[in-house]
Amino acid sequence: MLRRIGLFAVLAAACVAPAHAELVIDVQGIAQPTPVAVVPFGWEGRTPEMPADVAEIISADLLRSGRFEPIGEDKMLQKPTDGADVDFQDWSFVGVEAVVVGKVVQTGENAYTLQFQLFDVFGRRQLVGYRMPASRGTMRGAAHRAADMIYEKLTGIKGVFGTRVAYVTARQQGDGRLYSLVVSDYDGFNEHTIMESEDPIMSPAWSPDSRQLAYVSFEGDKSSIFIQTLRTGNRFRVSSKPGINGAPSFSPDGRKLVVTLGGEEGNLDIHVLDINSRRTTRLTTHRAIDTEGTWSPDGRWIYFTSDRSGGPQVYRVPATGGTPERVTFEGSYNARPRLSPDGKRLATVFNDRGNFRIAVMDLERRDVLVLSGGRQDESPSFAPNSDILIYATRQGRNGVLESVSADGLIRQKMRSSAGGDVREPVWSPFPRY
Amino acid sequence: MSYFKLISIAALSFLLAGCPGTPEMPDPEPTDTTYGGDAGASTSGAGNDPYGGGEFFGEDLAGEVGNVIYFEFDSSEVRAQDQDIVAGHASMLNSNPGLRVRLEGHADERGSREYNIGLGERRSQSVRQMLMIQGVSASQIATVSFGEERPVAFGNSESDYSQNRRVEFVYPN
């Protein structure tokens, strides 16, 4: 039942270190990424340079995906900015399979149009052409959106270049530690610390509309669950009962949280919290530790960790209440379940011969694939396209983030350039353009 | 009096050992236990000298009573050598009904974070139960679990882990 992926079936290793970014990303791609060309974009505007180097952003996205290898500018025989000028013979000679050309046109003081075209070199045809408005502030986002469209045309998989990641960092500060809750673009840009505390912060969770994060904070030496709106920074405390308040996760409709409550007696159970009314419904009553609840994408089930059988295993219970049933049987330790957004796979923290690693189980075939190779890997979170997972691993004494494609072939390491311990990454849903 | 206490501790250990709320987990890896971090713990003992127990120390809040006890891997059972420490705190709380203690449970870093919150809570609850059996009022005790979030040792050897699997007795103010 258990398959293992060769962790070093990797050839290319590229390092992308964007300026000002908190995260530095190393990509380990598949053996033969597809060569493509992203020609420098044309600029028609009132300033010497365009607000963001769109071609470079698209190139970096494609490179980071591990599936593509954008060629250098010096290898290009022509640098067209309009599809009409693309010479397929030249590009065929250079050996690329796809070409992206485009330009940015300034249409007002802070108004621009970004347009791009993607061509299949061998088929000699346009795969997609698109034009979209942007401002200085949204130019990076528009470039990511273009990369998403290009990636989807070429692979059939939705791109996640416009998504964000939330994570927690901890660093030494004087005698204590400073914990930060951070949100950044998936590529480490636009990093924002949205909450800081000398007490631990845990378990961030995205709302389905990407506008809010729920998390656990220990400020005042007790655990409480907060929901914070990213745009305004406003937050409200949704659960602060005696004992443990933990492990929040939003329902697919965004109206409820599944949470873990412990009470004075410390019996951790799964509860559903209605965010508006603050009413809670208890779903489990077992004396064991029941925690880490998460909704199935169809909203019907809540999957959770329970050690009612001895060690932690994944169970599920109908979201409206019912009898829990066990889901995982492979291995002595399966915790922190997360379902892929397409509902087909279940990721867990898995004990692999004494090492805690990220495993993914196909819910239909029920086979288990160990995807990570560390000793202390944790907090798996699926990208919204179900094709990539992000998780935390140890490097020396610090936590760093890694992502891996669901087939195990493409791996990225993200380490914090600011140092400190980075943990609990959670991938945002798709942005709503 | 101390005889009675020792009996109840023995009974409690028996209870805890058979308690369905504290299941034994299969050990994922062999644990090489060295307890390098017991600096705060006094180990004179109930086990070796059951009748000659002398006096419980620490009627005041001075640091004579150890304020930290440590746990085996995946266990919430108070070890024999730490039961005196718990009894010392019970005695202090019993003679000062206005006194409040916060039991802070901790786990080592292995495994999942929220599950480790559960393991830390199980440890603080096991100490809470032991205090209550010795007469301490529930209203004097608060528990909190920090799981693996507040380690005292940052390495990844068993010696580091063993220092992190602990319950701290904290007296606010």
Side-chain angles (χ1 to χ4, degrees):
Chain A
M1 289 286 277
L2 195 63
R3 286 191 290 142
R4 208 172 297 280
I5 279 280
L7 294 179
F8 300 101
V10 190
L11 259 184
C15 185
V16 185
H20 312 301
E22 162 90 356
L23 296 173
V24 180
I25 302 177
D26 297 319
V27 186
Q28 298 179 316
I30 50 179
Q32 289 191 310
T34 305
V36 295
V38 183
V39 181
F41 271 44
W43 167 232
E44 296 170 14
R46 303 166 198 168
T47 52
E49 288 186 355
M50 69 178 92
D53 189 337
V54 172
E56 189 181 294
I57 295 165
I58 295 173
S59 257
D61 283 343
L62 295 176
L63 178 66
R64 272 190 212 102
S65 78
R67 298 186 196 273
F68 296 99
E69 188 180 15
I71 63 164
E73 214 183 303
D74 55 325
K75 298 209 174 88
M76 298 178 184
L77 301 176
Q78 61 159 183
K79 294 179 190 170
T81 60
D82 192 294
D85 302 326
V86 170
D87 182 334
F88 290 110
Q89 205 149 3
D90 274 3
W91 294 109
S92 176
F93 179 75
V94 169
V96 297
E97 294 186 16
V99 179
V100 177
V101 303
K103 62 183 174 187
V104 175
V105 180
Q106 185 164 17
T107 55
E109 200 285 308
N110 186 21
Y112 306 85
T113 300
L114 186 167
Q115 70 169 55
F116 74 94
Q117 290 163 283
L118 167 69
F119 294 95
D120 168 5
V121 171
F122 301 128
R124 297 185 169 227
R125 63 194 174 104
Q126 176 175 312
L127 295 174
V128 62
Y130 197 73
R131 189 178 286 139
M132 63 188 121
S135 65
R136 277 189 286 278
T138 62
M139 191 62 75
R140 285 196 69 84
H144 285 311
R145 187 177 176 193
D148 277 339
M149 295 173 73
I150 293 163
Y151 185 81
E152 186 170 1
K153 272 290 169 207
L154 295 175
T155 64
I157 301 166
K158 284 191 84 165
V160 291
F161 306 125
T163 57
R164 289 179 288 174
V165 174
Y167 49 90
V168 176
T169 68
R171 52 179 65 102
Q172 210 61 32
Q173 192 191 52
D175 290 342
R177 298 176 102 191
L178 183 67
Y179 298 83
S180 306
L181 178 55
V182 182
V183 174
S184 77
D185 290 355
Y186 100 102
D187 59 4
F189 272 87
N190 289 328
E191 177 215 38
H192 296 287
T193 295
I194 68 156
M195 216 288 266
E196 263 182 2
S197 175
E198 289 174 5
D199 297 311
I201 302 169
M202 282 182 77
S203 303
W206 289 93
S207 66
D209 64 6
S210 305
R211 291 190 177 140
Q212 296 178 314
L213 281 176
Y215 56 86
V216 175
S217 168
F218 283 81
E219 50 206 272
D221 285 321
K222 80 173 294 310
S223 59
S224 302
I225 299 169
F226 290 87
I227 293 178
Q228 183 164 334
T229 302
L230 295 180
R231 189 171 297 242
T232 61
N234 292 340
R235 65 173 196 168
F236 50 102
R237 197 189 299 253
V238 291
S239 184
S240 187
K241 294 182 189 291
I244 284 167
N245 298 265
S249 182
F250 279 93
S251 61
D253 66 8
R255 291 191 199 151
K256 295 171 191 151
L257 287 177
V258 57
V259 299
T260 299
L261 300 177
E264 276 174 9
E265 305 295 320
N267 178 21
L268 279 68
D269 278 310
I270 302 294
H271 298 246
V272 170
L273 169 72
D274 183 272
I275 296 171
N276 272 339
S277 69
R278 307 285 157 86
R279 266 199 295 272
T280 56
T281 312
R282 185 172 183 169
L283 287 190
T284 67
T285 54
H286 201 280
R287 291 208 50 172
I289 295 173
D290 293 336
T291 188
E292 303 179 320
T294 186
W295 249 278
S296 63
D298 63 11
R300 288 177 56 213
W301 298 93
I302 285 168
Y303 286 68
F304 61 100
T305 307
S306 175
D307 64 0
R308 58 188 64 199
S309 68
Q313 294 292 343
V314 177
Y315 292 72
R316 69 174 189 177
V317 63
T320 50
T323 309
E325 62 188 41
R326 185 166 166 178
V327 174
T328 55
F329 293 91
E330 185 87 44
S332 64
Y333 191 110
N334 280 284
R336 220 268 190 180
R338 284 298 180 269
L339 288 146
S340 59
D342 63 12
K344 291 180 179 162
R345 283 177 288 215
L346 177 76
T348 62
V349 175
F350 179 83
N351 188 325
D352 183 24
R353 297 167 299 173
N355 301 298
F356 292 91
R357 291 181 174 158
I358 307 307
V360 168
M361 180 171 86
D362 185 298
L363 286 171
E364 199 167 292
R365 296 198 310 264
R366 305 199 65 80
D367 60 339
V368 175
L369 182 61
V370 176
L371 286 178
S372 72
R375 291 192 60 215
Q376 179 49 273
D377 302 339
E378 60 186 25
S379 305
S381 171
F382 276 97
N385 66 1
S386 299
D387 192 49
I388 315 172
L389 291 106
I390 192 166
Y391 57 92
T393 185
R394 308 291 301 176
Q395 195 168 67
R397 294 190 166 199
N398 276 331
V400 297
L401 307 184
E402 278 184 358
S403 67
V404 62
S405 57
D407 57 13
L409 290 177
I410 299 165
R411 189 173 303 277
Q412 303 183 352
K413 181 157 292 191
M414 307 158 85
R415 46 177 198 280
S416 168
S417 53
D421 190 31
V422 186
R423 73 283 276 279
E424 297 203 81
V426 275
W427 213 310
S428 79
F430 281 118
R432 299 189 176 173
Y433 289 119
Chain B
M1 173 196 172
S2 40
Y3 179 69
F4 171 72
K5 279 183 180 164
L6 289 166
I7 296 281
S8 16
I9 289 169
L12 179 69
S13 316
F14 180 76
L15 276 175
L16 284 174
C19 170
T22 54
E24 289 292 322
M25 269 181 52
D27 212 334
E29 58 186 298
T31 48
D32 169 23
T33 37
T34 51
Y35 291 95
D38 276 21
S42 137
T43 54
S44 64
N48 302 330
D49 190 13
Y51 297 102
E55 15 181 273
F56 284 102
F57 41 76
E59 293 296 325
D60 57 355
L61 297 185
E64 280 181 65
V65 181
N67 282 325
V68 189
I69 63 173
Y70 299 90
F71 292 80
E72 305 286 347
F73 181 61
D74 268 327
S75 166
S76 57
E77 197 174 336
V78 176
R79 296 182 301 168
Q81 67 262 42
D82 288 336
Q83 292 180 355
D84 265 5
I85 295 177
V86 179
H89 286 277
S91 156
M92 199 159 69
L93 288 157
N94 282 331
S95 40
N96 299 280
L99 193 59
R100 303 264 186 284
V101 68
R102 186 170 68 237
L103 303 172
E104 299 187 347
H106 300 267
D108 69 36
E109 66 167 28
R110 284 172 289 180
S112 178
R113 285 178 184 270
E114 285 281 2
Y115 181 67
N116 283 341
I117 289 283
L119 293 181
E121 178 71 5
R122 201 174 261 169
R123 288 180 180 135
S124 56
Q125 287 291 336
S126 129
V127 175
R128 175 175 178 264
Q129 291 300 322
M130 195 174 261
L131 290 174
M132 284 168 60
I133 282 177
Q134 294 176 58
V136 179
S137 155
S139 64
Q140 286 178 274
I141 312 168
T143 61
V144 62
S145 171
F146 289 107
E148 62 178 282
E149 308 302 317
R150 275 197 174 150
V152 291
F154 291 86
N156 45 26
S157 68
E158 174 50 34
S159 148
D160 294 299
Y161 296 152
S162 68
Q163 292 178 60
N164 291 334
R165 292 189 298 267
R166 67 197 195 278
V167 167
E168 297 187 13
F169 296 78
V170 177
Y171 291 90
N173 305 319

